[in-house]
Amino acid sequence: MTTLTPGTWKLDMSHTLIGFIVRHAGISKVRGSFNDADATLTVGDSIADSRVEASVQTASFDSGDENRDAHVTGEDFFDAAQHPQMTFVSTGVEGTEEEFELTGDLTIKGTTRPVTFDVEFGGATVDPFGATRAGFEATTKISRKDFGITWNAALEAGGVLVGDTVTITIDAAFVRSED
């Protein structure tokens, strides 16, 4: 496994998955992803000197169901017309290069809260076309209510339609910029 070299790395969205998992009706889980995002990773001389800034287009939400996608990108959830992006700006990194915690400010629907991602570095390599690539897996859990996303519907047997806890999973590929 090659280590990361200091410099600027850009997200390769064609080799990245930004996913979510949320409980539905108390009995199953809905999974989906966002298909349009941009991120810049700035690697410093040490892991503590590194940072990331990312934005995700909320209208790119995709759960595989057009009706649900329209509802979630609408006013009840993301309100993509008024809040077209959610953003993440890191504020700190702790751990080793292989496994670390990435803390930062996540903004969804105009509300910013601190979150911490557990991150695993998958390695870096030079691809057959000469580009230096790096891979990461990151996960966190958030309360959607913390971000003002409170829509729900009561179930006849008790409970609610949409769970509050959302698991965010990211499998990201970055390409080193030629400075």
Side-chain angles (χ1 to χ4, degrees):
M1 174 169 68
T2 304
T3 61
L4 288 176
T5 55
T8 303
W9 298 70
K10 294 297 289 177
L11 184 69
D12 176 5
M13 193 62 205
S14 66
H15 294 98
T16 294
L17 175 68
I18 301 168
F20 70 90
I21 303 168
V22 65
R23 184 144 312 268
H24 179 261
I27 60 168
S28 63
K29 294 179 181 176
V30 171
R31 299 174 192 318
S33 61
F34 293 90
N35 298 318
D36 187 3
D38 186 39
T40 301
L41 168 64
T42 305
V43 177
D45 291 330
S46 72
I47 191 166
D49 296 328
S50 300
R51 64 185 184 281
V52 65
E53 293 187 18
S55 63
V56 174
Q57 301 302 313
T58 54
S60 73
F61 176 88
D62 182 4
S63 68
D65 181 290
E66 288 182 19
N67 290 329
R68 178 175 39 232
D69 296 350
H71 186 204
V72 172
T73 58
E75 292 178 14
D76 286 338
F77 289 90
F78 288 123
D79 194 3
Q82 297 298 315
H83 303 280
Q85 293 183 338
M86 63 178 128
T87 62
F88 177 81
V89 178
S90 66
T91 57
V93 183
E94 291 185 12
T96 66
E97 187 176 288
E98 291 78 29
E99 292 185 9
F100 54 93
E101 291 183 339
L102 176 67
T103 301
D105 293 325
L106 178 63
T107 301
I108 302 174
K109 203 174 179 181
T111 300
T112 303
R113 298 279 186 258
V115 299
T116 300
F117 284 90
D118 293 321
V119 183
E120 182 179 327
F121 174 51
T125 191
V126 176
D127 70 19
F129 308 103
T132 303
R133 300 179 162 278
F136 300 87
E137 292 181 28
T139 61
T140 193
K141 290 184 180 185
I142 63 169
S143 162
R144 63 187 184 89
K145 292 177 187 171
D146 286 350
F147 294 91
I149 302 174
T150 59
W151 182 90
N152 227 324
L155 298 174
E156 185 177 308
V160 292
L161 186 63
V162 182
D164 179 50
T165 301
V166 179
T167 301
I168 300 170
T169 59
I170 302 170
D171 290 312
F174 284 85
V175 177
R176 180 136 181 2
S177 297
E178 298 302 323
D179 298 321

